[in-house]
Amino acid sequence: MAKSNGENGPRAPAAGESLSGTRESLAQGPDAATTDELSSLGSDSEANGFAERRIDKFGFIVGSQGAEGALEEVPLEVLRQRKSKWLDMLNNWDKWMAKKHKKIRLRCQKGIPPSLRGRAWQYLSGGKVKLQQNPGKFDELDMSPGDPKWLDVIERDLHRQFPFHEMFVSRGGHGQQDLFRVLKAYTLYRPEEGYCQAQAPIAAVLLMHMPAEQAFWCLVQICEKYLPGYYSEKLEAIQLDGEILFSLLQKVSPVAHKHLSRQKIDPLLYMTEWFMCAFSRTLPWSSVLRVWDMFFCEGVKIIFRVGLVLLKHALGSPEKVKACQGQYETIERLRSLSPKIMQEAFLVQEVVELPVTERQIEREHLIQLRRWQETRGELQCRSPPRLHGAKAILDAEPGPRPALQPSPSIRLPLDAPLPGSKAKPKPPKQAQKEQRKQMKGRGQLEKPPAPNQAMVVAAAGDACPPQHVPPKDSAPKDSAPQDLAPQVSAHHRSQESLTSQESEDTYL
């Protein structure tokens, strides 16, 4: 998939303006007519009939390519248990990452609950931290006009991204608008890198699970931490990984490796779209989501494993090789893979059991890099080092980072009645006056408090009336803390009972 080098195009659409993408084919050849038919689904003229179509649970039109494939049905009770466990992890994320990362990995392999998938991807990728460290940055990029040389290229690619999905079926709809915003913002965030066509399906998958701002920061993490250099102009990183994949194939499936070597088929002919789009345009959708769950947790190792599994089961036996006598037959076999080997349960099990580690990938990377330098010279693209998954990204985070803790979505003042109480809240001044009268009636307050008397204020972050403490010489040392402890602890208990997960983190 080549880097897009667009010419000067129209300006960015203003608010409320619809995008006017062109109707170009995705590919040339026998499938061009079919591709153009898929693209036409996004036109406004056909959008009115969309309501009559049946939609599956992933948002795809029933019968379309994205909706195909047998689904692994998880029992409802098991799904509820997994959701409860994931909620506990997300609400105490830093502790789990520090002490129980292996448990997170196992749960990602089992599949993230659909209602929490978007939030989990943000936490795993570090996109949530990037958003907190850069408040308002996406809005600033979003309001900027953008580089004209990329705008037309991005706009022409919008209708090509999942045209059978309800978010992107309408030309100029909210899905395409958000996709344009995210891709344009990235060209401004990394102007030296610009836009690559393979970034569009990546951003579209993210937008299916989270709002535009969160999707932007997850895209940044994928481009800079998980797959650095993949979307640069010369595509040197993807070429290196193609050689790494081919070398690892010799150990995983010698039969497939020998056949591809005999046919002299370059890895770029079959693995470019696999890797650059993270299999989002190759696998059935249920398999795509499971692969992405593991990819965000364990890194590019998962992408290599999926590619090796597909090559092994497509060309890994003498019988299958006999059916692919030439280059054309072999490439066609890899472009039209058997649904059986892409089925969710089978593929995930094979990927989990395949013994390919980060250390092997890095060792092969050094070998291929040395060969590249000997034959082609130094790399022109100086991309940052690749980080293998969520744990490596967390450990590499420079300097102090905000703790990912859920904040209360409801805050009440200290004197407000708790849920279920019939008492009406009183204004703070009136409550303070009545409290002083009571203390004076008991003989505890003979005169107005002096300026040097200690003031105790609840530390919950909400406004609350101060409590006056008698001087040290007029009361026993333990009397003040004993009187105040029930009030302070009750306040903390009320705050804890009102704490809930951030509503914006779960994007259904």
Side-chain angles (χ1 to χ4, degrees):
M1 184 170 295
K3 178 82 174 179
S4 296
N5 291 316
E7 301 175 355
N8 290 346
R11 60 177 177 81
E17 216 174 311
S18 62
L19 299 175
S20 55
T22 58
R23 290 170 50 84
E24 295 184 2
S25 304
L26 282 175
Q28 299 297 327
D31 295 330
T34 304
T35 303
D36 191 68
E37 182 181 352
L38 301 186
S39 300
S40 69
L41 277 176
S43 64
D44 292 330
S45 61
E46 297 187 18
N48 294 333
F50 174 66
E52 301 176 359
R53 303 180 187 272
R54 291 172 53 209
I55 305 298
D56 69 3
K57 67 178 183 179
F58 299 120
F60 287 93
I61 299 172
V62 173
S64 65
Q65 184 177 1
E68 292 177 357
L71 303 180
E72 182 186 10
E73 294 296 336
V74 181
L76 184 59
E77 186 59 32
V78 174
L79 190 61
R80 287 173 177 169
Q81 292 176 2
R82 289 182 182 176
K83 185 174 180 179
S84 176
K85 293 176 182 178
W86 271 96
L87 282 172
D88 177 60
M89 288 197 306
L90 294 172
N91 290 336
N92 302 279
W93 186 252
D94 288 334
K95 294 180 180 179
W96 277 85
M97 284 296 294
K99 300 179 179 180
K100 299 181 181 180
H101 176 255
K102 291 183 179 180
K103 196 72 173 178
I104 296 178
R105 184 184 64 193
L106 291 175
R107 291 178 179 176
C108 287
Q109 292 174 358
K110 292 180 180 179
I112 301 173
S115 61
L116 299 176
R117 182 167 271 129
R119 185 181 175 193
W121 286 358
Q122 294 175 51
Y123 279 53
L124 287 165
S125 66
K128 179 70 173 177
V129 173
K130 292 286 285 186
L131 188 152
Q132 293 179 349
Q133 291 175 340
N134 298 272
K137 182 65 176 179
F138 176 75
D139 294 332
E140 175 188 337
L141 298 172
D142 192 27
M143 297 299 294
S144 301
D147 190 337
K149 82 172 183 177
W150 298 121
L151 299 183
D152 181 54
V153 185
I154 294 173
E155 187 177 341
R156 282 181 295 163
D157 282 345
L158 295 180
H159 70 283
R160 302 172 179 176
Q161 314 310 321
F162 306 105
F164 282 122
H165 193 275
E166 60 179 345
M167 274 189 67
F168 306 103
V169 71
S170 178
R171 185 68 59 87
H174 71 93
Q176 291 192 10
Q177 292 282 357
D178 283 348
L179 183 59
F180 183 90
R181 294 169 59 206
V182 170
L183 295 175
K184 185 201 76 172
Y186 189 82
T187 63
L188 294 170
Y189 185 74
R190 288 286 179 262
E192 71 282 359
E193 194 169 296
Y195 166 70
C196 178
Q197 288 177 333
Q199 291 173 315
I202 296 288
V205 176
L206 295 171
L207 284 169
M208 294 178 194
H209 296 85
M210 61 192 77
E213 184 175 20
Q214 285 86 338
F216 168 75
W217 289 113
C218 283
L219 176 65
V220 168
Q221 292 296 91
I222 290 174
C223 296
E224 296 185 354
K225 304 292 176 62
Y226 288 88
L227 307 173
Y230 267 37
Y231 309 106
S232 60
E233 185 175 359
K234 300 297 182 180
L235 302 179
E236 294 173 324
I238 196 70
Q239 295 181 58
L240 272 176
D241 278 1
E243 297 300 328
I244 295 171
L245 176 72
F246 193 61
S247 179
L248 292 173
L249 181 63
Q250 186 173 12
K251 303 172 184 177
V252 173
S253 179
V255 175
H257 181 271
K258 184 178 180 180
H259 176 73
L260 292 171
S261 299
R262 188 187 301 118
Q263 298 293 338
K264 298 181 180 179
I265 298 177
D266 191 280
L268 290 179
L269 294 177
Y270 54 84
M271 58 79 63
T272 304
E273 187 176 82
W274 290 359
F275 278 50
M276 294 186 71
C277 299
F279 294 97
S280 61
R281 297 179 61 168
T282 304
L283 301 175
W285 198 249
S286 59
S287 301
V288 170
L289 297 179
R290 294 291 299 280
V291 167
W292 277 48
D293 289 346
M294 296 185 290
F295 167 64
F296 275 117
C297 183
E298 303 180 57
V300 77
K301 169 181 67 177
I302 298 299
I303 304 297
F304 275 99
R305 286 185 181 182
V306 174
L308 292 169
V309 168
L310 297 181
L311 290 170
K312 173 184 175 182
H313 289 279
L315 301 171
S317 67
E319 294 77 15
K320 294 175 181 176
V321 168
K322 286 181 182 179
C324 305
Q325 295 297 325
Q327 286 187 356
Y328 177 80
E329 292 82 3
T330 302
I331 294 176
E332 282 301 308
R333 169 66 64 88
L334 296 177
R335 286 179 176 174
S336 55
L337 295 165
S338 169
K340 178 183 177 182
I341 66 177
M342 298 189 293
Q343 195 268 336
E344 175 187 354
F346 175 83
L347 180 64
V348 170
Q349 187 67 24
E350 289 287 317
V351 168
V352 170
E353 294 178 354
L354 194 68
V356 173
T357 64
E358 296 95 336
R359 183 173 297 181
Q360 289 177 296
I361 293 173
E362 288 305 316
R363 186 188 302 119
E364 287 295 335
H365 178 80
L366 293 176
I367 294 172
Q368 299 302 328
L369 182 60
R370 187 161 54 248
R371 291 178 181 175
W372 180 291
Q373 293 171 343
E374 291 173 355
T375 57
R376 310 186 195 183
E378 294 294 329
L379 292 174
Q380 297 184 16
C381 176
R382 296 292 182 179
S383 57
R386 177 158 53 196
L387 299 178
H388 290 273
K391 189 71 166 83
I393 292 174
L394 176 65
D395 294 340
E397 192 68 31
R401 57 186 296 275
L404 290 179
Q405 294 290 344
S407 60
S409 57
I410 302 175
R411 292 183 181 273
L412 295 177
L414 180 61
D415 57 335
L418 294 177
S421 174
K422 297 182 180 180
K424 296 182 179 180
K426 298 180 180 179
K429 292 184 178 180
Q430 183 178 351
Q432 182 180 356
K433 188 182 295 183
E434 291 183 6
Q435 186 177 12
R436 292 181 60 185
K437 287 182 179 179
Q438 293 176 2
M439 294 176 65
K440 187 174 182 179
R442 296 172 186 171
Q444 296 178 1
L445 185 62
E446 300 296 338
K447 59 181 180 179
N452 60 350
Q453 287 180 314
M455 304 290 287
V456 178
V457 182
D462 299 315
C464 59
Q467 308 289 334
H468 299 288
V469 181
K472 294 183 179 180
D473 56 351
S474 63
K477 294 182 179 180
D478 296 334
S479 61
Q482 289 176 356
D483 292 338
L484 292 171
Q487 300 179 27
V488 177
S489 61
H491 174 70
H492 285 296
R493 285 197 301 270
S494 67
Q495 289 294 321
E496 291 173 1
S497 65
L498 294 173
T499 300
S500 63
Q501 67 190 54
E502 293 174 282
S503 57
E504 68 271 18
D505 282 337
T506 304
Y507 188 71
L508 301 177

